Amino acid sequence: MRAAVVTEFGGPEAVRVVDAAAPEPGARQVRIKVVAAALNPVDAGVRAGVFGGAGARIGLGWDVAGTVDAVGVASAWNVGDEVVALVYGTAKPLGTHAEYVVVDADAVAKAPGSVDAVHAATLPLNALTAAQALDLLGLRPGQSLLVTGAAGAVGGYAVQLAAHQGFAVTGLARAGDEELVRSLGASDFVTDGVAGGFDAVLDTAVLGEPALAWVRDEGAYAGVIPQAQPASVRGVRTAAVEVGADGARLAELAQLLDEGVLSTRVAEVFALDDVVKAHARLAEGGVRGRLVLVP
């Protein structure tokens, strides 16, 4: 099978499509024939060497939408099931940017029925990150939340989920994104924060200490870069999400997508063989929605 990997770090040109043996599922695993897989900023970080691993072949891709084509023992999934999944890891030998990927069975969820695989592939990493980050904040309905980077992929899901959970959501983004952010469910929109103005901040834009200043005393802050949250001040709880594969939670998010609570955004679709072009487009910035690869 073909798979996108890096063997040395660098820019988009460091990504190579290689021939690799199709992986075989072990116990409590399934193999998915990939129909679509999103390209995320974490893939660019892996490619650039942000997470280390020099000298090894590292597979790219965390999100997958596709069809189960082989199952290991003790798996509740069946060949032919249409599924989505998160394949966690910054140093895995093969990722989802491939023709086939093996996934732990408990990381898999039934694919949403309301969208095609290209759109479904944008759900796992970004929506799970948003949902698990909101969990860290521990907000109650009616409390105020500022989402930075509200027009981005994680931020957009965070706005939708937070509004659905009954929080008073303010989205922070560039002025030109106000209509989009409000359409996602934000009741207010700002292009800059307000000192001490919110019960909590979900900092998907990775602003750090400036965003911490916008939390009220003894409020809460959550970041999206593991272990990179700013130090606590004024009694503010600070944490950062490290997304975890969770098939049951992913199934809930897929159901919310089918119910219209969540919406997906695809910016552009690339063939797997054009993965270098996709990385180059991501590096240009200004992408609204996710780039998606199809084998």
Side-chain angles (χ1 to χ4, degrees):
M1 71 166 189
R2 294 171 299 132
V5 303
V6 292
T7 54
E8 56 185 44
F9 301 131
E13 70 285 348
V15 183
R16 301 167 52 219
V17 177
V18 301
D19 289 323
E24 295 295 333
R28 295 179 294 279
Q29 290 185 321
V30 300
R31 186 172 68 197
I32 299 171
K33 180 176 174 59
V34 178
V35 177
L39 173 64
N40 289 282
V42 67
D43 296 305
V46 171
R47 183 202 74 220
V50 170
F51 306 102
R57 185 185 77 179
I58 302 174
L60 301 174
W62 292 51
D63 293 299
V64 61
T67 304
V68 174
D69 95 312
V71 297
V73 298
S75 169
W77 296 97
N78 299 306
V79 171
D81 287 341
E82 295 183 356
V83 295
V84 289
L86 173 67
V87 181
Y88 179 91
T90 57
K92 49 189 181 271
L94 291 171
T96 64
H97 296 169
E99 293 181 291
Y100 296 90
V101 64
V102 164
V103 183
D104 290 341
D106 60 6
V108 178
K110 180 181 177 182
S114 58
V115 297
D116 61 17
V118 167
H119 286 79
T122 69
L123 186 72
L125 176 59
N126 295 290
L128 280 171
T129 298
Q132 293 172 7
L134 286 170
D135 291 346
L136 293 177
L137 294 172
L139 288 175
R140 301 184 302 277
Q143 288 192 290
S144 60
L145 170 69
L146 176 69
V147 177
T148 73
V154 175
Y157 280 129
V159 169
Q160 292 179 99
L161 288 168
H164 179 65
Q165 292 173 30
F167 308 144
V169 184
T170 297
L172 185 150
R174 294 181 297 187
D177 289 320
E178 180 173 0
E179 182 178 354
L180 168 63
V181 172
R182 287 188 180 276
S183 76
L184 296 173
S187 54
D188 289 298
F189 177 87
V190 294
T191 57
D192 200 358
V194 178
F198 301 93
D199 293 315
V201 168
L202 176 47
D203 186 19
T204 74
V206 196
L207 301 178
E209 289 186 3
L212 185 63
W214 303 330
V215 184
R216 66 164 173 81
D217 292 356
E218 299 183 351
Y221 166 101
V224 294
I225 305 296
Q227 302 178 9
Q229 67 269 29
S232 175
V233 295
R234 299 179 288 105
V236 175
R237 293 183 292 108
T238 64
V241 66
E242 181 162 3
V243 66
D246 184 337
R249 190 69 176 279
L250 183 55
E252 294 173 1
L253 295 166
Q255 181 64 33
L256 290 176
L257 177 58
D258 283 340
E259 292 172 359
V261 173
L262 298 180
S263 58
T264 62
R265 288 180 289 156
V266 173
E268 195 170 349
V269 180
F270 292 83
L272 178 61
D273 288 338
D274 290 328
V275 64
V276 172
K277 293 180 181 178
H279 274 257
R281 176 65 189 93
L282 182 63
E284 290 174 0
V287 177
R288 285 293 174 261
R290 278 287 170 251
L291 307 176
V292 178
L293 298 170
V294 293

